[in-house]
Amino acid sequence: MTLATLADVLQPALKQGYAVAGLVTLGWEEMRAYVAAAEAEGVPVILQAGPSCREHTPLPVLGKMFRHLAEGASVPVVAHLDHGYTMDDCREAIDCGFTSVMFDGSRKPIADNIAETRTIADLAHAAGVSCEGEIGFVGYSGGEGSAGTDPDDAARFATETGVDAMAISVGNVHLQQDKVGGLDIPRIRAIEAVTRVPLVIHGGSGVPVEQRRLLATGSNICKFNIGTELRMAFGHALREAVNRDTSRFDRVSILKETHDPVMDATRQVLRAFKGE
């Protein structure tokens, strides 16, 4: 069994100069493909259940799916709750066997964010589970704008919450479909100068691949969340499978054809984060 906590996989990444992918899941098909890709590349992987995933599949089911995949995997697999917005979200995930929870209080005043994140980190650690927090709101493509992380706030947040990983806002945006712009390197360096907590980039699909590679091996960013670009790979593969034979109606036979394309796309993502 290779079920791991977030701290289990991020601390070696921080020390040895590489990053781990937090892969956003929506269903069984991509979960399997993600783990197969991680095994093929010989790297750990973080399976993430975000709000849209949880709307579709209940947490107790997701916990069992993640743990089942981890038990058969040859690489470490983290079962991670992404964007838990309440204590109840995080507590339920812990009770359902998740090994890591992310509490997102980034929209709250900093004092409230720190206090609530601290409480959830304590709850998680008491259960042997890791906790990720977010300081500086990360916005959405075509929606809410990012706030940007103040380095002094990041230092305070890291010290006072005791989180195992800290998501920051440094030019990254959720749901971005193209890799344009890139991240604010001076802001990242300023945050690194005041804390050694592993840093997390949400909205990693919008970060140019070469910048991902450089930051994975040359910064304290130890986790990149990738969702949109792999959802696009899945959607493209599914559309091709359906259009290949429009008389088919068996979902299992259709969905099987998404596995290899999604696995191949995931392997490309994972290679950029290696310390090789």
Side-chain angles (χ1 to χ4, degrees), residues 14-273:
L14 180 66
K15 294 180 176 72
Q16 297 170 33
Y18 60 91
V20 183
L23 302 181
V24 179
T25 68
L26 289 178
W28 176 247
E29 287 73 29
E30 66 259 40
M31 293 176 198
R32 290 177 61 239
Y34 293 167
V35 173
E39 289 183 307
E41 293 298 324
V43 298
V45 66
I46 303 158
L47 299 180
Q48 304 200 154
S52 58
C53 179
R54 304 195 301 267
E55 285 179 13
H56 179 64
T57 307
L59 272 175
V61 177
L62 290 166
K64 286 181 170 60
M65 293 165 79
F66 284 179
R67 293 179 74 93
H68 174 79
L69 287 167
E71 286 167 4
S74 59
V75 295
V77 177
V78 179
H80 181 72
L81 178 82
D82 191 30
H83 291 288
Y85 292 115
T86 67
M87 169 72 81
D88 287 344
D89 287 342
C90 296
R91 182 183 286 111
E92 183 183 5
I94 293 168
D95 291 343
C96 291
F98 281 68
T99 57
S100 176
V101 295
M102 184 257 183
F103 174 67
D104 181 358
S106 61
R107 288 182 174 90
K108 301 175 182 287
I110 184 170
D112 294 344
N113 188 7
I114 287 173
E116 292 183 41
T117 304
R118 172 80 255 180
T119 299
I120 291 168
D122 288 344
L123 174 73
H125 293 156
V129 169
S130 294
C131 181
E132 174 186 332
E134 181 172 326
I135 180 68
F137 177 69
V138 177
Y140 290 82
S141 179
E144 296 173 271
S146 296
T149 300
D150 179 87
D152 291 337
D153 289 347
R156 180 183 168 195
F157 185 87
T159 300
E160 296 184 21
T161 62
V163 290
D164 302 287
M166 184 167 63
I168 56 174
S169 178
V170 287
N172 41 321
V173 181
H174 289 103
L175 305 179
Q176 191 169 322
Q177 295 183 29
D178 52 16
K179 300 174 179 62
V180 297
L183 301 180
D184 183 344
I185 302 299
R187 190 183 293 260
I188 292 170
R189 297 305 182 203
I191 294 168
E192 286 179 328
V194 294
T195 177
R196 283 288 290 170
V197 172
L199 303 178
V200 180
I201 295 298
H202 286 237
S205 293
V207 179
V209 174
E210 187 56 32
Q211 192 174 65
R212 296 181 200 176
R213 184 177 292 109
L214 291 171
L215 290 169
T217 58
S219 78
N220 291 351
I221 296 171
C222 300
K223 176 174 178 266
F224 283 82
N225 287 6
I226 306 291
T228 300
E229 78 180 78
L230 296 178
R231 284 199 296 274
M232 291 170 70
F234 178 89
H236 180 72
L238 181 61
R239 193 172 297 108
E240 284 200 338
V242 170
N243 291 338
R244 195 172 294 120
D245 181 356
T246 57
S247 68
R248 285 195 300 175
F249 56 83
D250 187 316
R251 62 182 287 162
V252 173
S253 67
I254 295 170
L255 287 168
K256 276 183 179 178
E257 295 181 25
T258 66
H259 182 273
D260 288 353
V262 173
M263 182 180 70
D264 292 343
T266 305
R267 290 188 70 176
Q268 292 295 324
V269 166
L270 298 177
R271 284 173 189 155
F273 301 137

